[in-house]
Amino acid sequence: MALPRLTSFLQKFFLAGKGLSFTTGKYFGQAVLVGVFSGFVVVGFRYLIDLGGSVIGSVPVRPLLLVLPAVGALLGYLLIKRFDSLEHARGTDSAILAYHRRHGYVPPAVLPIKSVASVLTVASGGSAGYEGPVTLLGASCGSIVASWFGLSRRARRILMTAGISAGIAALFQAPLAGAIFGFEVLYSSSDVEYDCILPCFVASTVAYTIFACFFGWGALFPMPTDIAYSNGLRLLPYFVLALIVTFGVRFYISGFNSVERSFGGMNCPGWIKVVLGGIVTGIIGFFVPEVLGTSYPVIRQTLTEHLTGQSACLALLAIFFAKAVATSFTVGSGGSGGVFAPAIVCGGALGGAVGVFFERVLPASWGVHPAAFALVGMAGFLASAIRTPLAAIVMVAEISGNHQLIVPAMWVCGIAFWLNNGWSLYRSQPHNREASPVHE
């Protein structure tokens, strides 16, 4: 009599829970596999990035600046063109499209081909980022794992989303932001995919851990932690920042869409389009070299140096406009690369310029610091441009190692996200769950 009671107690203690089942346990194990797979793929991708940067970076760039981005974009385009199934594998937008329209299927050939093509484009000076390729790489890892186990379309979509999270979490060394990004980026409203939340957390944790074992555990762009939000009056200039970011995002998105439409309407081979886009990027980069490649030095400078004066303000504004235009021509012409990282650069430059201005005109007692405005500007720009406010708030804290500016980031992200409802860099985003074929 005592033994059945003991068995019943142990079952309730260890196994009770409405959601606990073989199915949920299976998703946990498969999400771990997606994290392991994605983690090692991103490690390899990062080594490839470093190799491409060292090889191409050793070339005397200045005399070749006008043509080098075009050469890299052309080589990347021809590589992708060789595989018909990858011709429209553009990055995060393609991953979102695969979730809603292709039952979560991403071709396995994405892994080697998209990696090399993106490095050729960006390392040669193309104004783009690696987050677009890495989300597609992670999505492909999730799709492959689903194929290994012969899973349903629903399961494939879940694991594909977990792969997106794993890729961002690893490459940006932002595990929580990466996890949120995966299930938040699928819609342009505040809707999320609830079934994907826990697999995204699991895969992101594993992928980040593997990546950090190779490349360290520190923040990607560390900034001083003593730069904090400690004066309520600063909400006023942060409100102005939110308005400026809102219109900065509209300039970025409308410019990108216009360039993409213009190239799409050109009656000429695709390789000519990417060469033209690369030449325009090279011309811009000749005069504003900060816009070439990922422009990560711009982010580091705005977060670590105390920029002051009119010249610094004008220089940051010039970088913002030049980066937005150069990215539009690099990616909009058909080049392989992402628009997420350039959005961070644009937000940092715009926020830094606003911070320099307000430090100059407001009383010293307000304690305005340009680096704080740069970081918050990055968050607001991301939240508004790619429709991921939660991921943006967490990401800037994780990539900078500074968690003292979350409150102004919430303020700016909320305002910019609300004001730019209907604007998004990702055309494949449905507005909400009801508009997705997945939920028809």
Side-chain angles (χ1 to χ4, degrees), residues 8 19 34 37 76 78 90 112 124-125 147 163 169 182 196 203 220 230 249 263 274 292 299 388 394 396 403 430:
S8 177
V34 171
F37 192 7
L78 293 176
R90 296 292 298 274
S124 62
S147 296
C196 301
L220 188 61
S230 55
V249 167
F263 276 105
V274 297
L292 295 177
I299 299 177
T388 56
V394 177
V396 295
H403 297 76

Side-chain angles (χ1 to χ4, degrees), residues 82-103:
R82 175 68 179 79
F83 297 83
D84 292 337
S85 63
L86 299 183
E87 187 173 353
H88 300 290
R90 296 292 298 274
T92 306
D93 219 13
S94 293
I96 297 171
L97 182 67
Y99 181 90
H100 294 289
R101 302 284 180 179
R102 298 173 183 166
H103 313 297

Side-chain angles (χ1 to χ4, degrees), residues 303-366:
L303 296 184
T304 58
E305 297 182 18
H306 195 149
L307 303 175
T308 59
Q310 182 179 358
S311 59
C313 183
L314 294 176
L316 289 171
L317 288 175
I319 290 173
F320 163 72
F321 285 108
K323 185 67 178 177
V325 174
T327 302
S328 298
F329 277 92
T330 297
V331 183
S333 64
S336 181
V339 293
F340 176 106
I344 295 179
V345 177
C346 288
L350 199 57
V354 173
V356 170
F357 171 78
F358 277 123
E359 186 186 39
R360 185 181 180 90
V361 301
L362 292 177
S365 60
W366 286 47

Side-chain angles (χ1 to χ4, degrees), residues 94-148:
S94 293
I96 297 171
L97 182 67
Y99 181 90
H100 294 289
R101 302 284 180 179
R102 298 173 183 166
H103 313 297
Y105 177 74
V106 180
V110 160
L111 294 179
I113 304 304
K114 188 67 175 177
S115 299
V116 176
S118 300
V119 171
L120 287 172
T121 300
V122 181
S124 62
S127 178
Y130 289 116
E131 98 298 329
V134 85
T135 55
L136 202 56
L137 295 180
S140 181
C141 290
S143 179
I144 290 171
V145 170
S147 296
W148 287 346

Side-chain angles (χ1 to χ4, degrees), residues 277-297:
I279 290 175
V280 174
T281 301
I283 294 173
I284 296 172
F286 186 85
F287 296 100
V288 190
E290 292 86 355
V291 307
L292 295 177
T294 60
S295 300
Y296 284 172

Side-chain angles (χ1 to χ4, degrees), residues 25 80 92 109 168-169 171 181 226 232 278 301 303 308 315 351 422 424 431 434:
I80 291 178
T92 306
I168 292 292
L171 191 65
F181 179 86
D226 58 344
Q301 184 179 24
L303 296 184
T308 59
S424 177
H431 182 66
E434 288 75 17

